[in-house]
Amino acid sequence: MDSNLSHLDKLENQSIFIIREAYSQFRDVAMLWSIGKDSTALLWLVRKAFFGKMPFPVVHIDTTYKFKEIYDFRDKYTKEWDLSLIVAKNEEALGENMGPTKGKFQCCNELKTVALKQAIAKHGFKALYLGIRRDEHGIRAKERVFSPRDEDFEWDYKNQPPELWDQYKTKAAEEEHIRVHPLLGWREIDVWEYVQREKIPAVNLYFARNSKRYRSIGCATCCSPVDSEADTIDKIVEELKTSRISERSGRAQDKEDDYMMQKLRSLGYM
Amino acid sequence: MSANPRTIIIGLDGVPFGMLKAFADAGVMPCTRAIIRDGFFTPMQSSIPEVSSVAWPSIITGHNPGQHGIFGFVDMIPDSYKFRFPNFKDLKAEPFWNLCSGQAVIVNVPSTYPVRPMNGVHISGFVSIDFEKSVYPQSLLLELRKLDYRLDVDARKAHTAMDEFLQDVDKSLTARIKAHQFLWDNYDWQVFMLVFTGTDRLMHFLWDAYEDPAHKHHDFFLDHFKKIDQAIAEITAKLTAPDSLIILSDHGFEKLEKEVYVNHLLASEGFLAFEQGAEPKPVNMASATKAFALDPARLYINQKGKFQAGSVSEADKSACLADLEQLFSSLEIDGRKVIKHIYRKQDIYAGPHLNSAPDLVLLADTGFNLKGAMTSKQLAAKGPFTGKHTYPDAFLLVNNKDLTADLSENPCVTDAGKLIKSCVS
Ligand SMILES: [Zn+2]
C-alpha cells in the first residue's frame, strides 16, 4: 500500500477490498443498515466500491421503537440513493406486545435477533455486511466474526491468510450465513473524520441540542444522550479527540446484566 | 477411541446424599444403586457459601475461593457500589480441562460462561446468556440447535405456569442427554463432564413434591431422577475397565421453612442505612452504613480504603465484626436459632484473592434460607420456594475405590476437584 496514503485512505481501501471480495464470493448478500453513522458510512463505502450503485439490498431491522428522526432519514436516503430496502420486523412478537418493559434482553432478542433471522431465512442471504467496529464496547462487539479468531473471537484482519475467502465458504456451508465486517478496524473517530471528509449525511440526533447529543443511536427506549455542545461534525471530531467517555455510555450497556439479574431473581436470589 | 483410561464426571446439581441414597435404595435409580454398591459413596461438604456459582468453580479447579476468586453469583464494585456478575473470565485458577493432555468435553458446568477456546468441546452452564458465547467450537451451534439444546430452563415460568416449567425441565433434560450422546460418539475425548441442573430447579420449587407422595408433581419428580439414572446406565454400559466414573453434587438440599432477610436485620439494627427516600439498593446506601450482605449471606464491612464511601476504620473493624457475630448468633425466629455457624474469612478462605472475600459468611440452621435482597420489608417470610441449599450433605460417588485412597475423611468440593485433577493429569 502506498505510504503516502492518509490513514483514512488506507482504511477506505481495505474496506472496499473486503466489500468487493465478499460480494464476488457470495453474491446473495445484503447489508444491515441501522441508519446510524457506522452503517451509513458502510453504505457509502459500498456505493463507492460499486461506482455509485447498490448491487444488493439494504436491511433495516425495525423494532418500531426507533427515533422518528431515524425513520425520516431512512426514507429520505432510500429514495435519494435508490436503495432496495428490506424492512425486517418480528411481526409475531410485536403482535404479542413485545417491548422493552418485558426485559431489555428479551426485547432486543425478539425484535432484533429474531427479526434478522427471519429476514435471512426469507431471502436466503448467504452473507451479511455489518458496520461493527472492534473498538465498540458492549454486547454488539461479540458478534460472530471470521476465523481465524484470537482468544476473544475477534478477527485480526492483518493476520488473514490470502486464501481467507475459501475458509469463509467452508464456514458458510455449515452455518446459516457469514458476517462480513468491513469497518472492523475503524475507530469511532475514524468514522466521524470520514463522514466529515466525504460529507456523508448523518441523523441529526448526533448533533447537540440543549447541550445534549447522542453518540450512539438505536431504540428511543434504550438510548440516552450525553452532555455535549458539539452541534456540527467538525465539533464532534474535536470533541472525540479530547473526550474519554465511552461511546456507548449513554446506551443500555447492561443488557446482559439485566438478563442475569432476571435469571437469578427467578431462583430467589438478588 | 483412545485406549488410555478415561474420566467421566457426572454432576447432579444440588442433589443431597440422603436423596440419592433413598432413590438408590427404593429402586428409583437402580443403576446408581449398583455403582454405590461396588464403589465409594460419601457425603461431601459444599463450598461456603453453599451455592453453585462457588461450588462448581471449586470442583473444576480443586481450589478454594481464596484461590479461584469466585465468592458468589454477584459482587459489589468497591468504587461504585454497583453489582457485577462474576463469570468464567473472573475465574483465577485453571479448570482441570486445561491441565488434561487429551481432549475434554465439558457440558453445562455452572459458572463457566462465556466459553473460551480449549482442547475439546465446552458448552457453558448457568448463567449462560448468549448461545453463541456458550458454545466452543462454534461449528457445534447448528448441531446443538438441531438437538433443541437449551442452556437452561426458564425458572420464571415456575412462578406463573408450573406445567410449562416442568415441560421445559423435561425438554432440557432430554436435549442435554442427546447432546451428550452426540458428543460422546463424535469426539475422541479423554475426559467427559456432564452436569444435570434440572435437579436443583426442581428442588427449589418442588421439594414438597419430593416429600409428599400425594403431591401432583411427585411422579414427575421421580421420573426426572429415573431418566437421569437411565442416562447414567447408558454411560456405564459404555465404560471399559480402567475408566473412572465420578458422580457428584455441588451442595445438598432440604425443606425450606422460612426465608430470612439478612439486610433487613442489618438495617433494623443500624448497621445498614439508605439515603433518605431512596430505593433500598446498594448504590443508595448512606455513608453511615457499617455492613451489608450479598446473596446468600456474605457480610461485608463497609471499610475505609476498601469501599469508596467506607465508614469503618481498620481500628474499628474488629469491634464491628464482633458486634455482627453477636447479633447473628443470638438471632431467633419462632423460638429457634437461625444461624448455625458464622465464619470469618481467614478461617475458610486462603489464597491471593482473600482481599475480595466477604468478611463474614453465615450458615443457616435447618429450614432457614438466608437471603441478601435489600428490598424486603420483613425479616422473615415464606415465598414460593419449598427447598433450599444445604452445606454438609452434597455427595461424592466414585466407581473405583482405589481412587479415593487419599481422600480426607470429611471431603469437601475442593477435595473432589483435586481428585478429578489427579485422574485427568
Ligand atoms: Zn440452587
Side-chain angles (χ1 to χ4, degrees):
Chain A
M1 219 166 269
D2 189 336
S3 59
N4 291 327
L5 287 177
S6 76
H7 176 62
L8 283 183
D9 290 330
K10 282 183 200 167
L11 288 173
E12 183 185 61
N13 284 349
Q14 272 179 0
S15 299
I16 287 179
F17 171 77
I18 295 168
I19 290 165
R20 288 184 181 148
E21 280 296 303
Y23 180 63
S24 73
Q25 289 292 324
F26 299 112
R27 291 287 157 179
D28 294 327
V29 299
M31 77 159 266
L32 284 194
W33 187 28
S34 72
I35 331 291
K37 63 181 189 313
D38 298 320
S39 62
T40 304
L42 175 60
L43 181 50
W44 189 269
L45 284 160
V46 174
R47 292 172 68 241
K48 238 185 187 186
F50 301 107
F51 312 105
K53 282 227 167 63
M54 262 314 277
F56 46 79
V58 170
V59 179
H60 179 226
I61 302 175
D62 186 4
T63 61
T64 70
Y65 292 98
K66 301 287 176 195
F67 290 101
K68 180 180 179 296
E69 289 87 339
I70 292 182
Y71 294 110
D72 293 347
F73 187 95
R74 179 190 77 186
D75 295 342
K76 179 173 178 207
Y77 288 98
T78 298
K79 231 185 237 167
E80 196 165 323
W81 292 337
D82 193 20
L83 305 175
S84 148
L85 177 74
I86 295 170
V87 174
K89 276 189 206 179
N90 183 349
E91 299 283 3
E92 197 184 326
L94 287 167
E96 286 162 11
N97 297 318
M98 175 49 76
T101 52
K102 300 215 169 161
K104 284 170 184 160
F105 187 86
Q106 270 69 21
C107 180
C108 261
N109 185 53
E110 286 293 326
L111 299 187
K112 293 185 182 169
T113 316
V114 174
L116 175 60
K117 278 184 187 148
Q118 291 169 344
I120 292 168
K122 185 171 167 198
H123 299 278
F125 297 126
K126 292 204 184 72
L128 276 183
Y129 292 87
L130 274 75
I132 69 164
R133 306 189 324 269
R134 186 181 284 140
D135 76 335
E136 253 177 309
H137 172 75
I139 196 159
R140 273 177 68 201
K142 61 79 184 142
E143 286 291 3
R144 187 198 311 155
V145 282
F146 301 119
S147 44
R149 301 180 186 125
D150 66 17
E151 209 205 359
D152 294 314
F153 290 95
E154 288 190 340
W155 181 38
D156 186 353
Y157 176 79
K158 295 209 172 65
N159 287 337
Q160 293 294 343
E163 66 282 11
L164 84 178
W165 297 105
D166 292 334
Q167 292 186 12
Y168 301 163
K169 264 167 105 177
T170 346
K171 228 48 208 132
E174 55 186 79
E175 294 186 12
E176 300 111 37
H177 69 277
I178 290 295
R179 294 187 173 184
V180 184
H181 300 151
L183 297 187
L184 205 59
W186 294 55
R187 294 164 306 160
E188 184 185 12
I189 188 153
D190 298 329
V191 173
W192 278 116
E193 286 185 332
Y194 191 66
V195 167
Q196 183 184 37
R197 186 181 91 174
E198 303 281 309
K199 301 192 173 52
I200 303 172
V203 179
N204 56 18
L205 295 165
Y206 285 114
F207 305 114
R209 252 182 303 179
N210 305 322
S211 303
K212 296 260 183 212
R213 73 176 195 88
Y214 291 89
R215 267 178 87 177
S216 157
I217 61 173
C219 293
T221 43
C222 289
C223 287
S224 51
V226 295
D227 293 331
S228 169
E229 299 296 338
D231 54 3
T232 64
I233 292 176
D234 293 357
K235 284 186 195 165
I236 289 174
V237 168
E238 204 45 49
E239 178 190 271
L240 288 175
K241 282 180 177 163
T242 51
S243 149
R244 261 177 290 150
I245 304 166
S246 138
E247 182 180 3
R248 286 178 177 264
S249 59
R251 192 134 170 169
Q253 283 175 16
D254 50 357
K255 272 179 215 132
E256 280 215 5
D257 282 1
D258 190 62
Y259 187 64
M260 187 79 87
M261 201 91 106
Q262 289 183 30
K263 296 288 279 182
L264 292 173
R265 285 216 172 106
S266 67
L267 286 175
Y269 298 106
M270 307 298 295
Chain B
M1 203 126 309
S2 64
N4 292 331
R6 301 173 301 175
T7 306
I8 296 91
I9 304 143
I10 301 172
L12 306 183
D13 199 293
V15 174
F17 177 83
M19 182 186 283
L20 196 75
K21 187 168 184 309
F23 281 160
D25 292 346
V28 177
M29 303 184 78
C31 174
T32 306
R33 179 185 195 166
I35 303 167
I36 291 174
R37 188 190 57 217
D38 300 333
F40 172 87
F41 183 41
T42 177
M44 174 168 77
Q45 289 166 353
S46 182
S47 55
I48 301 172
E50 67 284 28
V51 291
S52 299
S53 57
V54 184
W56 287 111
S58 304
I59 291 169
I60 63 174
T61 65
H63 287 298
N64 88 94
Q67 270 172 308
H68 65 59
I70 307 288
F71 296 93
F73 278 118
V74 61
D75 271 344
M76 185 91 71
I77 303 170
D79 294 337
S80 61
Y81 294 92
K82 281 187 181 151
F83 286 133
R84 71 179 289 274
F85 302 96
N87 64 23
F88 196 41
K89 286 188 204 156
D90 298 290
L91 186 69
K92 301 295 194 312
E94 293 283 348
F96 67 82
W97 52 88
N98 286 359
L99 312 170
C100 161
S101 55
Q103 286 202 68
V105 175
I106 308 296
V107 182
N108 197 36
V109 179
S111 289
T112 63
Y113 172 88
V115 298
R116 34 176 202 250
M118 43 88 79
N119 182 19
V121 173
H122 182 189
I123 304 166
S124 57
F126 188 76
V127 181
S128 289
I129 294 176
D130 183 327
F131 198 45
E132 296 189 8
K133 282 157 80 175
S134 307
V135 177
Y136 180 84
Q138 297 262 296
S139 52
L140 272 173
L141 284 170
L142 195 62
E143 189 61 41
L144 290 173
R145 286 198 175 113
K146 272 193 229 153
L147 295 173
D148 194 24
Y149 188 82
R150 288 130 194 260
L151 294 168
D152 189 27
V153 297
D154 184 357
R156 284 171 306 167
K157 284 185 190 157
H159 298 266
T160 52
M162 185 56 84
D163 289 331
E164 261 181 62
F165 168 72
L166 294 181
Q167 248 180 37
D168 212 8
V169 168
D170 198 46
K171 281 187 180 159
S172 301
L173 176 64
T174 307
R176 201 97 64 207
I177 292 171
K178 277 193 194 148
H180 126 262
Q181 288 157 338
F182 174 82
L183 298 167
W184 186 288
D185 295 339
N186 285 283
Y187 284 82
D188 187 13
W189 48 268
Q190 192 207 328
V191 51
F192 199 112
M193 181 169 189
L194 169 67
V195 179
F196 294 108
T197 40
T199 47
D200 175 271
R201 309 300 180 266
L202 279 181
M203 289 185 283
H204 274 290
F205 294 101
L206 291 174
W207 182 268
D208 49 345
Y210 161 61
E211 290 192 329
D212 174 10
H215 193 290
K216 69 170 175 171
H217 298 306
H218 182 72
D219 288 344
F220 182 94
F221 197 100
L222 297 195
D223 279 346
H224 191 78
F225 282 81
K226 278 181 196 161
K227 284 179 186 170
I228 290 174
D229 189 68
Q230 280 157 14
I232 295 173
E234 207 184 294
I235 287 172
T236 48
K238 290 186 280 197
L239 296 185
T240 54
D243 294 338
S244 311
L245 174 65
I246 299 169
I247 308 178
L248 81 177
S249 63
D250 58 330
H251 54 76
F253 245 94
E254 69 183 9
K255 182 178 179 184
L256 190 163
E257 310 274 359
K258 278 237 161 101
E259 315 269 17
V260 178
Y261 293 92
V262 177
N263 281 314
H264 186 278
L265 185 64
L266 290 176
S268 61
E269 295 295 322
F271 287 91
L272 168 62
F274 296 97
E275 298 291 349
Q276 198 93 51
E279 241 184 287
K281 54 185 193 182
V283 286
N284 295 333
M285 285 193 296
S287 53
T289 292
K290 286 195 252 176
F292 56 86
L294 294 182
D295 265 317
R298 291 173 287 150
L299 299 183
Y300 293 80
I301 305 277
N302 187 26
Q303 203 183 328
K304 277 184 190 156
K306 187 171 171 190
F307 290 97
Q308 194 244 335
S311 70
V312 179
S313 69
E314 181 70 43
D316 295 337
K317 190 180 168 184
S318 64
C320 187
L321 284 172
D323 290 346
L324 288 168
E325 284 169 333
Q326 171 60 33
L327 174 66
F328 283 101
S329 59
S330 59
L331 177 63
E332 288 193 2
I333 290 173
D334 303 336
R336 282 184 51 224
K337 239 168 81 79
V338 175
I339 304 297
K340 190 168 185 185
H341 275 297
I342 303 175
Y343 300 96
R344 290 202 177 195
K345 67 174 177 185
Q346 56 276 16
D347 300 336
I348 42 175
Y349 304 129
H353 304 289
L354 192 60
N355 214 18
S356 353
D359 294 296
L360 296 174
V361 185
L362 312 177
L363 189 67
D365 217 321
T366 311
F368 292 113
N369 191 37
L370 304 178
K371 303 185 85 151
M374 290 184 165
T375 45
S376 177
K377 297 200 164 53
Q378 298 156 283
L379 172 61
K382 183 78 183 77
F385 302 100
T386 59
K388 58 157 291 244
H389 294 189
T390 53
Y391 168 69
D393 60 343
F395 76 87
L396 174 66
L397 170 60
V398 184
N399 70 336
N400 180 351
K401 281 182 190 150
D402 299 342
L403 294 174
T404 60
D406 296 333
L407 204 65
S408 68
E409 204 167 316
N410 282 313
C412 68
V413 284
T414 306
D415 299 320
K418 291 190 174 116
L419 174 73
I420 293 171
K421 276 208 274 193
S422 72
C423 289
V424 304
S425 54

